[in-house]
Amino acid sequence: MSLTVDSGWSSAALAQPLLEVGFVLAAAFAWHAVSRSDALVRRAANQLLLRKGCSGSKPDMATDELSRITWANHTVSLVHALFAIAVAAFSLASISPMGDDVCNSFAMAAARPALLAEIAYSVYDLWHEVAVMRPLGKMSVTMVFHHVFVASSMFASIQLDYLVWFMGALLVNDASTVFLNLRWFNFQLLSQAEGPARAHLRSLQLPLDLAFAGTFLLCRILWIPVLGSLFYANSMCVAPHVPDALTVISALNFPILWLLNVFWFSKIVAIATGSKRKA
């Protein structure tokens, strides 16, 4: 009597996750390619200053490698934030938390590739922190933790069609990132501008600062508890096919993300109030 093992089911079960890992890695490379477009952004910024009457005596704002890396990082971060907001808008339009089943992840099947691309950004930025910023002594430990935690929990949830709507809705957080980057770009232009252009850019800095702080408060500090309350009110979306460990991790996700954002917000407040020169 011979024993045979039917590997068809296991092969089929592994096929989709492996394909999606490949998709995530390819998308991470695409995010890296976006970051390389920073030279175009700098060129456009210089042209803008020239049109505003500046001398253009500094043709390239990135005067050293760290400056170029920083420009690249803010460029891809802005593109990613706009992408994330679009995914969040799709999620909120697809399922209304007031009348629909927020635990029905299958209703969000169309968002799956977009959420995988979101995971890919975390993978890209994790590589950026470890491979690029760490040798320069600029690595953010909290950001590394954030990316590892978010990417791994999101990928596991997607594979089990669990909490997909919540993941999309959480991307509302990135509304603040848009203003984070716009205020940074405005500051870089301001440091190079002269005459009327400098006065105009200076007038934009405070509104951008307020918009950043306000959206951070609304879209992170207040929005995360709202989603967490929905999650807990729906019995944590417990389902037979979802391992208890993932349910527990998901239950911890909201307070952990909230505490991380409270930590970052405290640094924003410290800078705004001048209580700490370097937060």
Side-chain angles (χ1 to χ4, degrees), residues 208-222:
L208 287 173
D209 288 345
L210 293 174
F212 169 56
T215 52
F216 199 104
L217 177 64
L218 291 173
C219 299
R220 292 177 181 265
I221 304 302
L222 299 180

Side-chain angles (χ1 to χ4, degrees), residues 66-252:
L66 181 59
S67 296
R68 193 205 66 75
I69 291 171
T70 307
W71 270 88
N73 190 45
H74 281 279
T75 298
V76 69
S77 178
L78 178 59
V79 174
H80 163 257
L82 295 172
F83 171 79
I85 291 171
V87 178
F90 175 82
S91 301
L92 295 172
S94 299
I95 297 178
S96 168
M98 302 305 294
D100 296 328
D101 180 10
V102 293
C103 295
N104 179 17
S105 295
F106 294 101
M108 289 287 296
R112 191 180 185 105
L115 290 171
L116 289 170
E118 177 66 22
I119 294 172
Y121 178 78
S122 292
V123 172
Y124 156 75
D125 208 37
L126 177 62
W127 168 84
H128 176 79
E129 289 290 339
V130 174
V132 179
M133 302 306 288
R134 183 172 177 270
L136 298 172
K138 301 289 185 179
M139 186 181 78
S140 168
V141 176
T142 54
M143 192 62 72
V144 169
F145 173 78
H146 173 273
H147 290 328
V148 171
F149 182 79
V150 170
S152 57
S153 58
M154 280 185 70
F155 190 79
S157 294
I158 288 174
Q159 297 312 306
L160 293 168
D161 289 304
Y162 178 59
L163 302 183
V164 177
W165 179 82
F166 284 94
M167 289 186 289
L170 265 175
L171 297 180
V172 167
N173 290 177
D174 280 289
S176 65
T177 309
V178 172
F179 293 104
L180 169 68
N181 289 296
L182 289 179
R183 65 187 288 277
W184 186 88
F185 284 125
N186 189 71
F187 184 79
Q188 300 308 306
L189 289 170
L190 180 61
S191 67
Q192 302 291 318
E194 303 166 356
R198 183 175 178 82
H200 175 67
L201 291 168
R202 186 184 294 278
S203 71
L204 294 177
Q205 197 65 35
L206 180 58
L208 287 173
D209 288 345
L210 293 174
F212 169 56
T215 52
F216 199 104
L217 177 64
L218 291 173
C219 299
R220 292 177 181 265
I221 304 302
L222 299 180
W223 182 240
I224 292 173
V226 168
L227 290 181
S229 298
L230 275 173
F231 173 70
Y232 300 126
N234 283 273
S235 302
M236 300 188 294
C237 297
V238 173
H241 69 286
V242 178
D244 292 341
L246 183 57
T247 303
V248 172
I249 291 172
S250 300
L252 294 173

